[in-house]
């Protein structure tokens, strides 16, 4: 029966599922046995005890009802399981038991809210249904349940505090509150789960050996993601089998999942004993540090749950073999100029940001005491893999319009390096690499005369996976920055109901808006341009030191976290990462002026013009990065300025505010 009920799911997502009627008829021993079989791993006496207590508690409470019951329902995006999920009448109940506890902790309330949010956002047969998160510390004293909707009015209820004695009343009250058509629990269970994990959630899930299919959506975007992963795996296997070297260029729209593909391939070939051994490389220092810390923390927690202790330092050393800063990888090559890396597969995230010859030579001269170095970073990195006598693969994950720092070579330098120094390498490219946003069109023409070049459409990721609410956010931001007002209005018109964008002149108002929108542990924070030097009167000092690891990973009780809305992140901190809700505070470094943008940098005591096209492009891309970080919605703050301050005149800010208001963003 379970196989039939599973419907579209390839595997059952829970350890046990049945009708409430059959659950009540079954013995506790029978249910626990099915749970143990469903888990697929040895259960502890503590776990069996918790199951027994939950079963015995639920049996009399559920006697009046019909519907479905699910134990240990998987949330793979989060790497967690819901204790018990009930489908009764028009409501999906998410029950989180805290066996032996009497406290309703903030952590537990957020936990059950997060589970409910995951269903609401990512499970197709839960989208429009009432979802009730219920927290039940089994030793809590009786209290009267409070049933109410969240301010978003999307049928997700506020977390409900219950105890064993009031759980029946909670279920009755929620059913009276909700009303509406009953859900067929078997049809509900067959609904597809279409998650869009953040890069941190993806890294954690993949590192735990979840497949990419478990943590990605099931629509066309995810099919594309799967096809791209399969194509790269085929290229890797082919290179190994035929003992050759190859380079692969993967393109994609912002948020399409290029990094997810890279992490998927890297975790697929993670074992050191495997000749495929791979490494995921990024020049994005904050991203690497955050991923390493998140994976190390997770490893410590998981090992502790298994009764084993591991120090975080040891965990981090293991993680560093998998995810590395590309500059550290380069330094290993410099330390030994003959030996190849242990890795046969190297994945370069944001490959267009690798350094050009001038930047690399300057760095080598100043930092490594190597004057006369004449290789760009792409050429040197390919040469490192080329030391292998048998085979090697370089996979370049290429973003467009993402260059935000000087010395970034763009993808053209990778092509030039191949033409100049590696004539025998096979080249696999996405046809979209010709598009202007990738900046490689002129150079790609040179590949026409080269042997072993193949074009594969599946190496392009065409659909944004970033925002599950709105896939056109990147398009909207492009139109806003390109001053395509009419197109921006039309795009926002399609987005406004799913992806709120608020506009204000007041930072405290923006902070209140963020806190009112976020539920559970949904992360929010303030972001500003690295050139936003005149936000000090708003209590934003862009040069104040902040640690992105604490900002992105720590909880609501840590003043260093993004939740406190004190430390701010710049484009350098957030590129490649995401928030649920973002606040972008807009300074006078990038001002609207009717005919175009006025771009300035603050030096000494005044704003100075930016004249170089390259620097103008970096600054525009900085705002592109900031405005595309939020998954669910954002608020933009354009300060009012101050007539008494010549560096903050209202005329520097008012036109920008009016321009954004004219697009249709809601003023709060």
């Amino acid at each position: 029966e379970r196989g039939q009920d599973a419907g579209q799911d390839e595997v059952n997502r829970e350890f046990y599922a049945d009708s409430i009627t059959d659950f009540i008829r079954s013995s506790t021993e029978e249910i626990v046995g099915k749970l143990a079989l469903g888990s697929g791993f040895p259960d502890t006496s503590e776990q069996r005890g918790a199951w027994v207590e939950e079963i015995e508690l639920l049996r009399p409470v559920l006697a009046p009802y019909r519907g479905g019951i699910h134990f240990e329902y998987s949330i793979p995006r989060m790497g967690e399981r819901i204790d018990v999920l009930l489908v009764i009448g028009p409501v999906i109940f998410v029950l989180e038991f805290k066996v032996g506890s009497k406290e309703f902790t903030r952590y537990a309330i957020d936990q059950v809210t997060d589970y409910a949010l995951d269903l609401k956002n990512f499970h197709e047969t839960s989208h429009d249904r009432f979802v009730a998160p219920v927290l039940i510390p089994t030793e809590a004293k009786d209290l009267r349940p409070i049933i109410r909707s969240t301010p978003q009015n999307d049928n997700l209820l506020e977390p409900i505090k219950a105890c064993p004695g009031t759980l029946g009343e909670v279920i009755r009250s929620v059913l009276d509150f909700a009303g509406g058509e009953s859900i067929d629990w078997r049809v509900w269970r067959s609904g597809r789960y279409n998650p869009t994990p953040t890069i941190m959630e993806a890294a954690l899930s993949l590192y735990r050996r979840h497949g990419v299919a478990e943590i990605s959506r099931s629509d066309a975007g995810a099919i594309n993601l799967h096809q791209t992963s399969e194509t790269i795996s085929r290229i890797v296997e082919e290179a190994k089998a035929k003992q050759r070297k190859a380079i692969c260029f993967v393109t994609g729209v912002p948020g399409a999942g290029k990094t997810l593909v890279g992490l998927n391939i890297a975790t697929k070939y993670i074992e050191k004993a495997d000749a495929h051994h791979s490494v995921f490389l990024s020049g994005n220092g904050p991203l690497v540090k955050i991923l390493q810390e998140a994976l190390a923390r997770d490893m410590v927690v998981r090992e502790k749950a298994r009764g084993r202790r591991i120090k975080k330092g040891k965990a981090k050393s293991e993680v560093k073999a998998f995810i590395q800063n590309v500059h550290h990888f380069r330094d290993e090559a410099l330390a030994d100029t003959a030996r190849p890396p242990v890795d046969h597969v190297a994945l370069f995230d944001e490959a267009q940001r690798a350094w050009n010859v001038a930047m690399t030579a300057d760095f080598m001269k100043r930092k490594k005491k190597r004057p006369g170095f004449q290789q760009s970073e792409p050429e040197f990195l390919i040469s490192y893999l080329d030391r292998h006598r048998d085979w090697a693969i370089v996979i370049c994950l290429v973003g467009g319009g993402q260059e935000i720092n000087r010395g970034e070579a763009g993808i053209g330098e990778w092509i030039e390096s191949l033409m100049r120094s590696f004539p025998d390498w096979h080249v696999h490219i996405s046809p979209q690499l010709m598009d202007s946003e990738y900046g490689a069109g002129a150079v790609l023409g040179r590949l026409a005369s080269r042997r072993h070049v193949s074009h594969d459409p599946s190496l392009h990721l065409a659909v944004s996976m970033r925002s599950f609410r709105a896939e056109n956010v990147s398009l909207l931001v492009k139109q806003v920055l390109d001053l395509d007002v009419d197109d921006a209005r039309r795009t926002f018109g399609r987005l406004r109901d799913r992806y709120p964008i608020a506009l204000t002149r007041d930072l405290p108002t923006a902070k209140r808006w963020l806190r009112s929108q976020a539920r559970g542990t949904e992360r929010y924070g303030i972001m500003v341009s690295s050139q936003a030097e005149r936000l000090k009167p708003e209590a934003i000092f862009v040069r104040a030191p902040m640690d992105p690891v604490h900002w992105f990973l720590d909880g609501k009780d840590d003043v260093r976290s993004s939740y406190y809305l004190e430390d701010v992140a710049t484009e350098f901190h957030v590129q490649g990462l995401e928030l649920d809700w973002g606040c972008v505070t807009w300074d006078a470094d990038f001002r609207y002026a009717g005919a175009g943008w006025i771009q300035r940098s603050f030096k000494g005591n005044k704003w100075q013009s930016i004249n170089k096209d390259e620097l103008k492009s970096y600054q525009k891309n900085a705002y592109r990065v900031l405005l595309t970080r939020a998954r669910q919605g954002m608020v933009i703050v354009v300060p009012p300025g101050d007539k008494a301050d010549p560096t903050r005149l209202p005329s520097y800010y008012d036109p920008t505010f009016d321009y954004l208001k004219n697009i249709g963003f809601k003023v709060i």
Side-chain angles (χ1 to χ4, degrees):
E1 183 185 11
R2 288 184 64 184
Q4 293 174 347
D5 291 342
Q8 297 175 21
D9 282 342
E10 293 182 4
V11 295
N12 291 326
R13 297 189 57 211
E14 64 286 299
F15 291 172
Y16 169 92
D18 212 335
S19 68
I20 289 176
T21 300
D22 287 342
F23 164 77
I24 293 170
R25 290 173 180 167
S26 300
S27 69
T28 299
E29 292 76 13
E30 184 180 359
I31 297 168
V32 171
K34 289 182 178 180
L35 277 164
L37 285 173
S39 71
F41 53 81
D43 53 287
T44 64
S45 58
E46 182 182 4
Q47 178 62 78
R48 286 195 301 273
W51 286 337
V52 168
E53 186 163 352
E54 291 163 12
I55 293 164
E56 299 291 346
L57 190 159
L58 286 168
R59 189 179 277 112
V61 169
L62 297 179
Y65 302 108
R66 299 293 180 268
I69 183 169
H70 312 72
F71 278 78
E72 304 292 344
Y73 189 86
S74 175
I75 306 289
R77 180 184 69 92
M78 301 168 63
E80 302 287 349
R81 288 185 175 275
I82 297 171
D83 286 342
V84 178
L85 188 150
L86 303 172
V87 180
I88 303 175
V91 180
I92 302 156
F93 292 87
V94 176
L95 308 185
E96 177 63 23
F97 290 90
K98 295 300 178 186
V99 176
S101 174
K102 60 177 70 172
E103 302 295 331
F104 295 93
T105 66
R106 179 73 258 174
Y107 172 83
I109 291 170
D110 283 344
Q111 182 184 18
V112 72
T113 303
D114 287 347
Y115 294 162
L117 276 167
D118 191 89
L119 289 172
K120 171 63 66 176
N121 291 330
F122 303 125
H123 187 239
E124 67 174 359
T125 47
S126 301
H127 288 327
D128 301 320
R129 299 296 190 171
F130 280 95
V131 182
V134 185
L135 176 62
I136 311 151
T138 59
E139 300 299 321
K141 295 181 180 179
D142 287 359
L143 74 168
R144 185 174 181 179
I146 300 174
I147 315 299
R148 60 190 177 201
S149 294
T150 59
Q152 288 80 357
N153 288 319
D154 57 358
N155 292 340
L156 178 65
L157 302 187
E158 293 276 9
I160 303 164
K161 298 176 181 178
C163 59
T166 61
L167 183 56
E169 183 184 351
V170 166
I171 293 174
R172 288 193 301 274
S173 299
V174 170
L175 292 173
D176 289 342
F177 178 88
E181 182 182 348
S182 291
I183 304 168
D184 184 324
W185 74 273
R186 289 181 173 85
V187 173
W188 173 87
R189 188 167 175 250
S190 71
R192 292 180 303 176
Y193 177 63
N194 298 327
T196 56
T198 67
I199 194 61
M200 281 185 288
E201 290 167 343
L204 288 166
S205 293
L206 291 168
Y207 198 62
R208 294 167 182 158
R209 298 300 199 275
H210 286 290
V212 70
E214 290 184 83
I215 60 167
S216 60
R217 300 177 340 200
S218 305
D219 58 12
I223 293 169
N224 187 193
L225 198 73
H226 179 72
Q227 289 173 342
T228 302
S229 295
E230 288 297 307
T231 297
I232 297 171
S233 292
R234 174 180 55 77
I235 293 170
V236 171
E237 298 295 341
E238 194 174 77
K240 183 190 177 189
K242 297 184 178 180
Q243 297 288 282
R244 66 191 185 198
K245 293 160 187 173
I247 189 166
C248 179
F249 294 96
V250 180
T251 57
V253 300
K258 296 182 294 297
T259 304
L260 178 57
V261 166
L263 289 168
N264 185 43
I265 297 298
T267 52
K268 186 173 182 179
Y269 304 122
I270 200 171
E271 299 300 335
K272 291 181 180 178
D274 191 336
H276 292 72
H277 190 233
S278 61
V279 62
F280 181 88
L281 301 167
S282 174
N284 184 336
L287 173 66
V288 171
K289 287 182 179 179
I290 290 165
L291 288 178
Q292 288 176 344
E293 178 72 17
L295 290 171
R297 289 184 185 184
D298 181 64
M299 186 184 296
V300 170
V301 170
R302 285 188 295 117
E303 290 300 306
K304 184 177 180 181
R306 293 169 180 158
R308 299 194 293 262
R309 290 193 176 275
I310 181 175
K311 291 184 177 180
K312 194 169 78 170
K314 184 177 185 299
K316 190 168 285 189
S317 68
E318 290 189 25
V319 169
K320 285 181 177 178
F322 161 54
I323 295 178
Q324 292 184 32
N325 190 305
V326 67
H327 304 310
H328 298 165
F329 186 74
R330 174 204 60 208
D331 291 347
E332 288 182 17
L334 288 169
D336 187 334
T337 58
R339 186 179 301 174
V342 65
D343 317 285
H344 281 259
V345 182
L347 301 106
F348 294 90
D349 197 28
E350 299 293 351
Q352 77 283 356
R353 298 189 63 193
W355 290 350
N356 59 26
V357 175
M359 185 74 173
T360 309
D362 179 63
F363 174 83
M364 292 296 184
K365 182 179 178 180
R366 289 185 298 104
K367 299 291 187 180
K368 301 297 178 182
K369 309 304 179 187
R370 289 176 178 248
F373 195 88
Q374 289 302 312
Q375 286 182 305
S376 65
E377 199 166 41
E379 184 168 358
F380 182 66
L381 292 169
I382 296 173
S383 73
Y384 189 24
L385 271 294
D386 194 53
R387 295 178 191 175
H388 283 290
R389 293 184 177 182
D390 45 8
W391 68 281
I393 288 280
V394 172
I395 300 164
C396 293
L397 309 172
V398 185
Q402 299 286 307
E403 298 85 352
I404 58 175
N405 209 350
R406 68 183 184 88
E408 294 179 355
I411 209 61
E413 178 55 32
W414 289 89
I415 305 296
E416 290 283 14
S417 298
L418 289 165
M419 297 302 295
R420 186 167 54 239
S421 306
F422 308 100
D424 296 327
W425 277 57
H426 289 240
V427 182
H428 302 265
I429 66 173
S430 156
Q432 274 70 22
L433 207 60
M434 296 289 293
D435 292 354
S436 60
E437 64 187 292
Y438 299 106
V443 178
L444 281 173
R446 299 188 59 198
L447 289 177
S449 61
R450 184 186 174 101
R451 297 181 307 151
H452 309 312
V453 177
S454 61
H455 297 72
D456 193 327
S458 64
L459 293 176
H460 178 68
L461 295 161
V463 181
S464 174
M465 303 280 285
R466 175 173 292 142
S467 173
F468 56 87
R469 291 181 182 271
E471 292 173 345
N472 288 321
V473 175
S474 295
L475 174 61
L476 172 65
V477 170
K478 182 179 187 302
Q479 291 164 342
V480 169
L481 296 178
D482 289 347
L483 304 179
D484 296 333
V485 178
D486 292 339
D487 287 341
R489 285 177 185 151
R490 282 190 288 269
T491 301
F492 182 59
R494 297 192 295 269
L495 296 178
R496 68 171 76 243
D497 293 334
R498 294 176 295 155
Y499 188 92
I501 300 179
L503 180 65
T504 184
R505 310 303 298 268
D506 181 61
L507 186 57
T509 297
K511 291 180 178 181
R512 287 192 295 272
W513 186 87
L514 284 177
R515 292 183 176 116
S516 71
Q517 296 297 317
R519 297 177 285 191
T521 60
E522 289 179 337
R523 187 166 289 273
Y524 49 85
I526 301 173
M527 299 169 287
V528 301
S529 157
S530 59
Q531 298 293 320
E533 297 275 7
R534 292 306 299 138
L535 294 177
K536 286 183 183 178
E538 305 291 335
I540 292 175
F541 181 27
V542 72
R543 296 198 181 277
M546 63 84 75
D547 187 333
V549 169
H550 293 296
W551 200 82
F552 267 107
L553 294 183
D554 290 348
K556 297 176 181 178
D557 58 347
D558 195 310
V559 297
R560 299 166 296 181
S561 76
S562 65
Y563 292 117
Y564 256 75
L565 301 176
E566 292 182 4
D567 290 335
V568 300
T570 72
E571 69 272 18
F572 298 112
H573 299 125
V574 301
Q575 188 175 44
L577 292 155
E578 298 165 320
L579 298 166
D580 289 295
W581 300 91
C583 170
V584 177
T585 305
W586 205 302
D587 201 9
D589 59 322
F590 196 70
R591 318 169 194 166
Y592 178 73
W597 296 102
I598 294 176
Q599 296 176 249
R600 298 284 187 267
S601 62
F602 196 78
K603 304 292 184 184
N605 193 41
K606 62 181 179 180
W607 293 104
Q608 295 184 357
S609 297
I610 297 175
N611 297 316
K612 289 185 178 180
D613 290 339
E614 182 183 35
L615 297 180
K616 286 183 177 180
S617 176
Y618 292 156
Q619 190 179 42
K620 184 177 180 181
N621 284 340
Y623 274 85
R624 189 192 314 277
V625 168
L626 298 174
L627 292 165
T628 55
R629 292 307 94 191
R631 288 158 54 86
Q632 299 197 45
M634 65 177 158
V635 57
I636 300 172
V637 181
V638 183
D642 184 350
K643 291 180 181 179
D645 183 348
T647 68
R648 297 175 54 249
L649 294 174
S651 60
Y652 294 169
Y653 299 92
D654 291 347
T656 303
F657 177 84
D658 293 339
Y659 169 64
L660 297 173
K661 179 181 177 182
N662 191 35
I663 289 169
F665 300 156
K666 180 183 178 182
V667 177
I668 58 172

